[in-house]
């Protein structure tokens, strides 16, 4: 007897999911993790069309951008949950295998909120035909993997053209994402903020300089037909207290997560959920209750230290994360690796304003602690170098320790802290 939730997958799809379950079970038994990623990879090898099969008959929101994808996806899923069950990633796995695993884990969910890597957006949209596409921001990332951001903008633009019925919820404060969405027939503009403008000095469409006047921006060159390329008028915007929407909507919004960037993420999550039918007040309440995202912003006790974990992966993300550091903390550890998921080229360290820590002692950690130490030296930041992140935390005075780490350093330290916490837990 075939499960009704599997019937539409066809024989090949069902075989793919059976093999995925076996691979995931083996991974768990071997202590290699939950196995969702390996399961997704195996399933796609057997049935390359599986994402389309799993995505069929769902109302889906796709979320992409250089920074804030996981947080905005978590918030969008929370807001959409006011309408029904939602399939989404819990761990930020935003490429094909992770997306397949997320859809498979909630096979009967009528809704989906999917975080998608910028490079994968066009073919993922072809597979799941999203109702809403959320465009957050574009800035320099892993040059050795992603390439130039203008190329990403052009790919996103072409993908949007291929899906004219998709509503694009775009950040009008980001020049590159505005360009990607500018000609979309159905667009919701959100003034979500754009603290990093170092990659938007010239217009991606005209090649001419971008001129800023407060929050408003415009290209000094004209588009074809004499049209101006400039910041669209937002339908949603925010301040430090409220979220403002269409038809005079004003909603108090007090988030659990810190930082101005997360208020912008919340605004786009609410706009996306409301576009899909959520009640605005319920959507704001849902995003406000989100208190951690795959371990980010969470605190964990490690010996005499209360450790708060923050993640940053590129210059724009580091700028936002640095603004969240509590200067009253008893210690600060910055951990940097240079593995493939991080980007092996760490020249971006020189774009980060570490002069921010002129009056704070920093412990440089991670596989590339020495590279970070050199950058901190030139920034005039007092620091020590302790490559092992756990030992780096232990070297701090007792009390609250802020840890800012890039992708694999964050991941590995989180696992190490979990192991140490398990050791310290009293046996029952």
């Amino acid at each position: 007897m075939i499960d009704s939730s599997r019937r539409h997958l066809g024989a090949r799809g069902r075989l793919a999911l059976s093999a995925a379950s076996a691979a995931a079970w083996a991974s768990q038994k071997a202590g290699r993790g939950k196995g969702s990623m390996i399961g997704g990879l195996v399933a796609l090898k057997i049935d390359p069309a599986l994402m389309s099969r799993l995505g069929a008959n769902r109302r889906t929101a796709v979320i992409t951008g250089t920074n804030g994808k996981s947080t905005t996806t978590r918030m969008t899923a929370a807001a959409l949950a006011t309408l029904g069950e939602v399939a989404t990633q819990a761990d930020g796995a935003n490429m094909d295998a992770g997306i397949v695993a997320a859809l498979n884990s909630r096979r009967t969910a009528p809704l989906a909120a999917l975080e998608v890597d910028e490079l994968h957006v066009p073919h993922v949209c072809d597979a799941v035909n999203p109702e809403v596409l959320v465009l957050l921001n574009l800035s320099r990332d892993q040059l050795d993997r992603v390439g130039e951001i203008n190329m990403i903008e052009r790919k996103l633009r072409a993908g949007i053209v291929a899906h004219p019925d998709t509503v694009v919820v775009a950040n009008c404060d980001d020049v590159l994402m505005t360009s990607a969405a500018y000609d979309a027939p159905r667009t919701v503009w959100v003034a979500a903020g754009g603290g990093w403008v170092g990659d938007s000095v010239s217009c991606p469409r005209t090649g001419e300089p971008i001129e800023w006047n407060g929050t408003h921006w415009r290209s000094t060159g004209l588009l074809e037909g004499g049209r101006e390329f400039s910041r669209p008028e937002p339908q949603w915007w925010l301040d430090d207290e409220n979220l403002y929407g269409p038809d005079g909507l004003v909603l108090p919004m007090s988030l659990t997560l810190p930082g101005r960037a997360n208020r912008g993420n919340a605004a786009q999550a609410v706009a996306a959920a409301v576009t899909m039918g959520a009640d605005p007040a319920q959507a704001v309440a849902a995003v406000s209750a989100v208190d951690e995202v795959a371990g980010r912003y969470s605190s964990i006790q490690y010996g005499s230290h209360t450790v708060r974990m923050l993640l940053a992966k590129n210059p724009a993300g580091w700028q936002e994360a640095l603004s969240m550091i509590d200067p009253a903390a008893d210690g600060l550890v910055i951990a940097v690796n240079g593995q493939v998921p991080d980007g092996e080229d760490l020249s971006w360290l020189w774009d980060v304003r570490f002069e921010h820590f002129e009056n704070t002692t920093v412990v440089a950690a991670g596989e590339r602690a020495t590279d970070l130490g050199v950058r901190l030296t030139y920034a005039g930041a007092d620091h020590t170098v302790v490559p092992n992140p756990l030992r780096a935390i232990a070297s701090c005075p007792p009390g609250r320790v802020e840890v800012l780490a890039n992708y694999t350093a964050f991941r590995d330290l989180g696992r190490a802290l979990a192991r140490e916490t398990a050791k310290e837990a009293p046996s029952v």
Side-chain angles (χ1 to χ4, degrees), residues 311-394:
L311 173 70
K313 297 180 286 186
N314 47 61
W318 280 85
Q319 177 174 286
E320 294 293 349
L322 291 175
S323 71
M324 299 180 195
I325 295 293
D326 182 358
D330 300 289
L332 171 61
V333 174
I334 302 179
V336 175
N337 287 353
Q339 299 178 26
V340 171
D342 308 301
E344 295 172 318
D345 177 358
L346 294 190
S347 58
W348 55 262
L349 282 171
W350 295 89
D351 293 322
V352 179
R353 191 179 180 277
F354 288 111
E355 288 80 4
H356 181 82
F357 299 119
E358 290 167 336
N359 301 314
T360 304
T361 299
V362 181
V363 184
E367 297 168 352
R368 303 289 286 272
T370 303
D371 296 82
L372 176 59
V374 172
R375 175 68 185 97
L376 291 170
T377 297
Y378 277 89
D382 187 20
H383 68 279
T384 59
V385 176
V386 182
N388 182 294
L390 285 178
R391 292 176 184 170
I393 294 169

